[in-house]
Amino acid sequence: MSQGRSFPRLFVPLLAGASLRDRVIGCIGALLGIALTAFVCTRLPQSSAALPFLAAPIGASAVLVFAVPASPLAQPWAVFGGNIVSAMAGVTTAHLFGHSALVAGIAVAGAILAMSLLRCLHPPGGAVALTAVIGGPAILNAGYLFAFMPVAINSFLLVAIGLIFHRFSGHSYPHRATMTQGVEPAREPGFHPEAIDLALADLGETFDVSREDLDLLLQRAAFHEGRRVH
């Protein structure tokens, strides 16, 4: 009986604040982002006809840019820098160690390290690094050119489209933690940033939300709790 009641929860969005409107906007944005990126790239001169005009991980980048534009992992530098750095990490790893299963793992691990150090962590970057190792003869023969075409150009176009699209979507991109217009400011003071850092350290987990957004969320929660109890 309990299993029957819990089954519908499988279809409940896991993203906090997710709404049907936002999901539809994300779908439209991804459609435009990928279609326009592909349209432009198919009309650019190709240095190698065998190279794809779209890197498959760009589809995952589109999910972040258009479905969760507030995520730190979806910001312009994360998309552009993360994908390029990962491509270079993958190509370098393949050149040094070959193309075995272990090398594929090393490439992804190296991409994560490089992205973390350069503050451009972007999950699709792991797929970009993997593609550089196992993507087939054309990508392997292209070498570092793969990081430029299609990866860099795809990433640049997708970010540019995201910047334009989100001017009309109602979401800030690049994201900034700002109070929504027309919403009354919180009456309760927010937590000190140091307290938020200490709380995050206590939990020992990495969350896909910026400290600024978390602080703003806590302020709004304190405001609504004050209205609720009074």
Side-chain angles (χ1 to χ4, degrees):
M1 192 70 178
S2 60
Q3 290 182 345
R5 287 196 300 267
S6 63
F7 179 75
R9 292 186 60 81
L10 294 174
F11 301 96
V12 175
L14 294 178
L15 293 176
S19 67
L20 177 60
R21 175 185 179 275
D22 286 337
R23 299 289 75 80
V24 171
I25 287 176
C27 292
I28 295 172
L31 187 157
L32 294 174
I34 293 298
L36 290 175
T37 298
F39 177 82
V40 173
C41 288
T42 54
R43 281 152 180 78
L44 294 175
Q46 297 279 337
S47 57
S48 172
L51 280 174
F53 59 88
L54 278 180
I58 293 297
S61 296
V63 174
L64 289 168
V65 171
F66 297 104
V68 283
S71 169
L73 307 177
Q75 301 314 297
W77 171 237
V79 178
F80 189 70
N83 282 336
I84 295 174
V85 166
S86 297
M88 296 183 69
V91 172
T92 300
T93 303
H95 281 179
L96 291 176
F97 304 112
H99 311 290
S100 68
L102 177 60
V103 173
I106 294 173
V108 176
I112 293 173
L113 177 61
M115 289 188 290
S116 298
L117 293 175
L118 294 173
R119 300 173 63 86
C120 57
L121 190 64
H122 186 60
V128 173
L130 191 62
T131 302
V133 176
I134 64 170
I139 291 176
L140 298 178
N141 292 334
Y144 289 104
L145 178 62
F146 172 67
F148 174 73
M149 178 63 194
V151 174
I153 294 178
N154 285 176
S155 301
F156 173 80
L157 290 171
L158 191 72
V159 166
I161 295 165
L163 291 170
I164 297 171
F165 179 81
H166 284 304
R167 291 179 65 90
F168 305 95
S169 72
H171 298 289
S172 63
Y173 188 77
H175 179 68
R176 296 290 183 271
T178 56
M179 193 69 70
T180 304
Q181 288 186 348
V183 176
E184 184 179 350
R187 293 171 182 166
E188 300 292 334
F191 293 91
H192 192 280
E194 183 178 350
I196 296 176
D197 288 339
L198 291 172
L200 291 171
D202 288 342
L203 294 174
E205 297 286 351
T206 299
F207 295 93
D208 187 13
V209 62
S210 69
R211 185 179 68 181
E212 293 76 17
D213 277 326
L214 185 58
D215 185 27
L216 182 60
L217 178 62
L218 291 172
Q219 288 186 50
R220 294 305 305 161
F223 167 69
H224 287 295
E225 178 64 13
R227 294 188 65 182
R228 186 185 68 82
V229 299
H230 293 97

